[in-house]
Amino acid sequence: MAKLKDLDIDDYLKQCIELEPEAINEEFARMSADYAYWNERYAAANKSHLAAEWEEEKVEARLYLHFKEPADGKKPPTEAAVDAAVKLSPEYDAAHLKVLEYAAERDYLRGVLETLRTKREMLVSTGAQLRQEAQGDLRMSERSATRRAAEGFGE
C-alpha cells in the first residue's frame, strides 16, 4: 500500500474528504493543500495515461508493419488478418493493459478531485449557515439585553 511519509494514502484520502463542521476553520485551512496534492497526482496519472496511449499507438504501428509483410512467396495477408494479428499479440496486449491501468488511476483521481470540490462547496454552505446562526444568536442576545434593560428601568 502506498505511503505518504508515515501516513497510508488511503488514510490520508479519508482525512481529506471527511467533513468536520465543528472544525470548519481548520477544514478551510487544509483545503488548498489537499486539493493541490490530489491535483498533482491526477496530473501525473493523466500524463502517464497519455504516454501509455502514445506507446500503444507505436506498438500497434510497428506490429502492423511486421504482420503486413507477406510470408515467403505467399500473397499479402488481408487487412482483417493483420488487424487481428496485431490485437492478439502479447506486445500489443501489454501496451493496451497499461493504457487501461493508467486510465483507471486517472479516473479514480478525477473522482477524488470532484469529491474535494463538493467538500469545498459544503464548507462554504456550512460556513454561511454558521454565520447566519451566529448573527441570529447575536440578535437574540441584543433583544434580551434590551428587554432586561427595559425591565430594569421599569422597576
Side-chain angles (χ1 to χ4, degrees):
M1 193 166 286
K3 295 274 189 180
L4 176 67
K5 294 195 180 189
D6 293 329
L7 186 64
D8 178 68
I9 292 294
D10 291 334
D11 291 340
Y12 178 62
L13 174 59
K14 186 178 176 191
Q15 289 174 11
C16 289
I17 62 176
E18 285 180 338
L19 179 61
E20 296 183 38
E22 61 277 353
I24 195 165
N25 289 332
E26 292 83 359
E27 293 284 353
F28 264 120
R30 71 176 284 177
M31 196 69 213
S32 293
D34 290 344
Y35 195 83
Y37 172 77
W38 292 105
N39 194 59
E40 186 278 327
R41 287 204 46 198
Y42 171 79
N46 192 47
K47 180 180 178 184
S48 296
H49 177 251
L50 293 173
E53 281 183 332
W54 176 241
E55 185 59 31
E56 178 189 37
E57 287 180 27
K58 293 189 302 186
V59 166
E60 184 176 16
R62 190 169 42 254
L63 289 170
Y64 181 86
L65 292 174
H66 171 73
F67 289 121
K68 182 87 171 143
E69 286 293 315
D72 296 331
K74 296 183 179 179
K75 66 179 188 173
T78 65
E79 286 294 315
V82 172
D83 286 341
V86 168
K87 300 287 188 205
L88 293 173
S89 73
E91 188 179 357
Y92 179 83
D93 194 44
H96 188 68
L97 186 59
K98 280 207 180 284
V99 169
L100 296 177
E101 287 172 357
Y102 286 124
E105 177 71 6
R106 181 202 58 202
D107 293 347
Y108 168 78
L109 292 167
R110 184 183 298 140
V112 170
L113 290 173
E114 185 59 35
T115 300
L116 289 173
R117 283 185 208 107
T118 301
K119 178 182 176 179
R120 184 181 185 288
E121 291 169 6
M122 289 172 61
L123 283 169
V124 168
S125 176
T126 302
Q129 183 179 0
L130 290 173
R131 278 191 303 281
Q132 190 175 25
E133 288 173 4
Q135 287 173 349
D137 289 346
L138 182 59
R139 282 189 217 114
M140 291 297 289
S141 293
E142 288 172 354
R143 285 186 203 137
S144 179
T146 304
R147 190 174 4 128
R148 281 194 308 266
E151 289 171 359
F153 286 122
E155 292 178 7

